[in-house]
Amino acid sequence: EQLGEVGDDDDVDVNAWDDEIMDQVEEWEEAWDEENQVSYWVSKTTGETRDAAHPPDMEVSKIMDARAKGERHMTRRVQVRKGEGDLGTAQYNVHHKSEWDEIRQMRLEWQSAIKIEKCWRMKSAILQKLRLRLERKSANIIQRAGTSWRWRFHDYNFREKQRAARKIQSFQRMRFLSHFYKYYQRERLWWYRAERICAQFGQRLWRGYVGRRAGRRVLEVKIQPHPDDKHNFDYWMARQREAFPPRRTFKLFDEYILYGHPASWYDREIKSEAGYFRDVRFYVNKVTDQAQWWIP
């Protein structure tokens, strides 16, 4: 077995170049990390370590550097020799088969170890999760028990103090409000109530007067002669002279008070005997002197 180039030209020392690279590759050997359960590479010369992702074959980068510099790329090939050899074909096949059997056995062992480690880590994780759950549940039970005990025994005095403080505050607020009402708000509320009573009394008097006025007007309209009848014209002219002057004027109509305005209390007594009412009104047309009860 020797090195040769792809081509016919031979510009570099093939054997020296390849031997140097192979020496650097062969100084690395594979080792096993029992703690992390991974393989790694160790240099027998310098003691340097590399993980499995950086095998010694990365030294072939020197070949790429040489190619970038214009040197020829060399590759390993087997030179065929004719004639009898020291090793027969059957022996070579047996050796080759034993090597591959060993490789397959190592691969099976590697895969089995990985599966066992995976199962163990899964079981360990489940056990750890159950343990943490049990610890958390136990801690919650202990905390609840401690809180209950503290509330039933140690916090009793605190609740009593809070209850006493609220009672004192309620009495103090009651005293302040009583003092404020007695010296500041009582008289004002009394005047408010007196004003409301006076207002209600005045409203009752006014509503009573309005109702009685409407009733008296209805009564007078019923008992007095009808002003639209021409036979009663002189009667209403007398009522107009009696009630002169008019109380108000609305354009063509004058408003009069039935039975007039008494000048004295004596006249009022006389008028009252004659059926005097100050709030019964009638209206007279200033052009025709026609009387009527309602203003148009």
Side-chain angles (χ1 to χ4, degrees):
E1 185 179 80
Q2 66 177 11
L3 290 177
E5 63 174 349
V6 182
D8 297 332
D9 298 334
D10 190 11
D11 296 336
V12 297
D13 187 357
V14 177
N15 294 324
W17 187 27
D18 188 69
D19 291 340
E20 181 182 356
I21 296 175
M22 290 307 298
D23 291 340
Q24 295 181 5
V25 173
E26 291 176 354
E27 71 178 10
W28 294 86
E29 63 179 5
E30 188 176 9
W32 178 258
D33 188 357
E34 292 293 342
E35 181 179 358
N36 298 320
Q37 297 294 315
V38 295
S39 61
Y40 62 95
W41 298 91
V42 181
S43 176
K44 295 183 291 185
T45 304
T46 62
E48 181 184 356
T49 59
R50 294 183 182 178
D51 56 7
H54 298 80
D57 295 342
M58 294 183 66
E59 298 294 338
V60 298
S61 60
K62 294 183 178 181
I63 299 177
M64 303 301 294
D65 296 339
R67 182 187 297 176
K69 294 177 182 179
E71 299 178 359
R72 296 181 181 276
H73 174 61
M74 300 301 173
T75 183
R76 183 182 296 275
R77 67 186 179 183
V78 178
Q79 183 177 8
V80 180
R81 292 182 181 179
K82 296 180 180 181
E84 296 181 359
D86 298 334
L87 185 64
T89 303
Q91 295 176 353
Y92 176 78
N93 290 335
V94 171
H95 178 71
H96 182 269
K97 184 176 181 301
S98 64
E99 291 289 335
W100 274 103
D101 290 342
E102 184 180 357
I103 292 173
R104 280 192 291 270
Q105 181 65 24
M106 292 179 64
R107 287 178 178 174
L108 289 175
E109 292 177 358
W110 177 269
Q111 293 175 0
S112 301
I114 292 176
K115 185 173 290 294
I116 292 171
E117 293 170 2
K118 184 187 299 183
C119 293
W120 174 251
R121 285 194 295 269
M122 181 175 63
K123 183 178 180 181
S124 300
I126 293 174
L127 294 176
Q128 180 69 12
K129 181 179 178 181
L130 294 176
R131 186 178 63 82
L132 291 176
R133 183 180 298 174
L134 180 61
E135 291 178 357
R136 183 170 60 251
K137 185 176 181 180
S138 302
N140 291 334
I141 293 174
I142 295 172
Q143 289 176 357
R144 286 198 298 269
T147 303
S148 175
W149 181 81
R150 187 175 60 253
W151 176 259
R152 285 185 288 112
F153 296 98
H154 290 269
D155 291 348
Y156 177 77
N157 293 332
F158 176 76
R159 295 199 304 273
E160 289 296 327
K161 291 179 181 178
Q162 290 290 328
R163 189 178 297 110
R166 287 194 296 269
K167 183 68 69 175
I168 294 172
Q169 291 174 359
S170 63
F171 279 112
Q172 190 69 8
R173 285 194 297 269
M174 181 181 64
R175 190 175 69 85
F176 286 159
L177 291 177
S178 176
H179 181 270
F180 177 75
Y181 174 79
K182 181 178 180 181
Y183 293 99
Y184 297 99
Q185 204 172 14
R186 181 178 179 181
E187 184 177 358
R188 183 172 59 183
L189 293 177
W190 185 89
W191 279 108
Y192 285 165
R193 183 175 61 181
E195 292 175 358
R196 184 175 66 254
I197 292 173
C198 292
Q200 293 175 354
F201 182 73
Q203 291 173 0
R204 286 199 301 270
L205 292 178
W206 173 253
R207 286 193 297 268
Y209 164 73
V210 170
R212 291 190 297 273
R213 183 181 63 181
R216 287 192 293 268
R217 185 179 182 86
V218 171
L219 179 64
E220 289 294 332
V221 170
K222 184 180 296 185
I223 64 177
Q224 293 290 338
H226 200 283
D228 292 340
D229 191 355
K230 61 182 180 179
H231 297 92
N232 300 325
F233 182 81
D234 295 337
Y235 175 82
W236 285 104
M237 286 296 296
R239 301 283 80 76
Q240 178 181 355
R241 288 191 296 271
E242 184 181 26
F244 192 85
R247 182 173 179 271
R248 288 183 299 180
T249 299
F250 300 96
K251 295 182 179 179
L252 295 178
F253 292 89
D254 291 334
E255 182 184 74
Y256 291 92
I257 301 298
L258 190 62
Y259 302 119
H261 296 275
S264 63
W265 287 101
Y266 178 74
D267 295 339
R268 179 184 293 272
E269 292 179 358
I270 296 175
K271 291 292 184 181
S272 62
E273 293 176 358
Y276 166 70
F277 298 110
R278 292 186 57 191
D279 50 1
V280 179
R281 305 169 186 176
F282 67 96
Y283 302 91
V284 177
N285 191 317
K286 293 189 293 185
V287 178
T288 61
D289 291 332
Q290 180 67 35
Q292 56 189 30
W293 288 112
W294 313 101
I295 185 172

